[in-house]
Amino acid sequence: MELGAVLGALLLARIVILAVPGPERSEFTRWFVRATEPLVWPVAQVPGGGIHLIRALTLADLVTAAMLVLLAALAVGTIAGWEAEGGHERDTNGHLAPVERRKRMLD
C-alpha cells in the first residue's frame, strides 16, 4: 500500500506541474517530469494517449492516475474482504483452526 501512495503522490505532482501555467520551467521540474515519464509511458503508447489536454498535461497522465486509483481501491477492497472473512488462530495443539466469527459476535 505504501508503494501505491508514493506512486500516487508522484503522479499527482506530475499532473500539477504539467497542468499549471508558470514561468519558464525550472531545472527541477524538467528533471521531475523526465523522472516520472516511465510511469505514464505504457499508457502513452496507446493511440490517443499523447493528446494534450491542458498545457503539457496529456491524456496518458490522467488515465495512469485513474488506473492507479482503481488498483488501490481494488487492493483495499480485497484486503477488507479478507478481514471480514476472518483470520486463523492457533488451537491448543498449535495447529491452525478457523475462527468462527459468528460465535464471537454472540458471546
Side-chain angles (χ1 to χ4, degrees), residues 49-87:
I51 295 173
H52 289 277
L53 301 174
I54 303 171
R55 302 192 54 81
L57 182 67
T58 63
L59 184 61
D61 295 312
L62 293 180
V63 169
T64 303
M67 287 174 43
L68 181 66
V69 167
L70 177 66
L71 289 174
L74 289 172
V76 168
T78 301
I79 292 170
W82 290 341
E83 292 292 323
E85 289 178 3

Side-chain angles (χ1 to χ4, degrees), residues 5-40:
V6 169
L7 292 177
L10 289 174
L11 282 172
L12 181 63
R14 177 184 170 90
I15 288 171
V16 169
I17 287 171
L18 293 176
V20 173
E24 183 63 32
R25 295 198 187 273
S26 69
E27 184 64 31
F28 173 75
T29 58
R30 285 194 302 261
W31 172 84
F32 185 79
V33 170
R34 281 192 314 265
T36 57
E37 190 68 30
L39 297 174
V40 298

Side-chain angles (χ1 to χ4, degrees), residues 81-104:
W82 290 341
E83 292 292 323
E85 289 178 3
H88 292 83
E89 291 182 349
R90 295 193 181 271
D91 63 9
T92 56
N93 295 330
H95 297 103
L96 289 176
V99 176
E100 295 178 16
R101 294 182 64 79
R102 290 188 183 188
K103 285 185 179 177
R104 284 188 175 186

